[in-house]
Amino acid sequence: MTALYRLVYTSRSLVGGDEAAQERTVARIVDASRRNNARAGVTGALLFSTGSFAQVLEGPRAAVEATFERIQRDPRHSDVGVLQCEPVAARGFPNWSMAFVGGSPRGRELWGEFARRTAFDIGRMEADRLFAALLQIVEGEDAPRATARPALAASAG
Ligand code: FAD
């Protein structure tokens, strides 16, 4: 069986324009992510909040690395800082080719609580705490109203 890897990073958003324009750009990023990740067997979650991104990528090591190399070159963000890149026993987001966090009021509220506890310094957050917060938010958003949709074939697990 192929070993599973998890990569967690944060970055600074360079997405320009007003709030609506930023939302449109991030929606395009999420669409491309879901399309590509479903093909590559990559799952995870993406947070966009207060000018920052945080993302969890998980899957076979080669697929995670290839995806992350593309992401790192993307001019829509900068200051990409890896918090974690290591083998894991299981996926945290097995049903999400890319869950988008923070699209719902509840998600924003939960993220706000977490960000307050960590003094809003996304670059200094610990990988495990960030991962746990994203998981909690995605699970909360998953029922009854999801902003992310399950999109990964069962074979990718
Ligand atoms: P495309 O179909 O080329 O792009 C999708 C949309 O984005 C199109 O509308 C296109 O016009 C627009 N676009 C593409 N590149 C740019 C650009 N440089 N500047 C402005 N608009 C552009 N990709 C993944 O595959 N998986 C991920 O998990 C993932 N996560 C990301 C997280 C962040 C924070 C960012 C910034 C990007 C992420 N991406 C991810 C996107 C990745 O960087 C590449 O843009 C994408 O993988 C290219 O794939 P594509 O050719 O299929 O997308």
Side-chain angles (χ1 to χ4, degrees):
M1 199 177 78
T2 317
L4 279 177
Y5 263 71
R6 179 186 304 145
L7 191 150
V8 182
Y9 75 87
T10 60
S11 65
R12 187 159 61 87
S13 170
L14 296 179
V15 173
D18 60 17
E19 199 176 327
Q22 291 186 30
E23 278 176 14
R24 282 196 298 276
T25 300
V26 174
R28 281 199 296 273
I29 290 172
V30 173
D31 280 350
S33 302
R34 287 178 178 160
R35 196 177 55 240
N36 295 333
N37 296 355
R39 265 200 302 263
V42 170
T43 53
L46 174 70
L47 170 93
F48 174 63
S49 174
T50 58
S52 297
F53 289 107
Q55 190 170 28
V56 176
L57 297 168
E58 52 190 23
R61 182 177 190 164
V64 168
E65 285 178 351
T67 302
F68 185 58
E69 268 174 34
R70 256 192 344 267
I71 293 172
Q72 269 187 303
R73 288 196 301 268
D74 197 310
R76 291 171 288 189
H77 64 167
S78 68
D79 303 320
V80 176
V82 175
L83 303 181
Q84 181 187 38
C85 182
E86 59 189 37
V88 286
R91 292 174 191 261
F93 301 90
N95 299 320
W96 307 98
S97 55
M98 192 45 60
F100 179 56
V101 172
S104 75
R106 179 68 183 138
R108 279 196 290 271
E109 188 187 319
L110 281 167
W111 175 251
E113 283 167 21
F114 177 73
R116 266 191 300 281
R117 282 205 306 273
T118 50
F120 287 94
D121 192 349
I122 201 168
R124 295 178 58 185
M125 288 174 185
E126 288 167 24
D128 287 348
R129 292 177 64 188
L130 185 55
F131 174 80
L134 295 185
L135 198 57
Q136 185 195 355
I137 296 169
V138 169
E139 283 173 352
E141 290 189 343
D142 196 8
R145 191 178 74 87
T147 56
R149 61 185 185 281
L152 190 77
S155 62

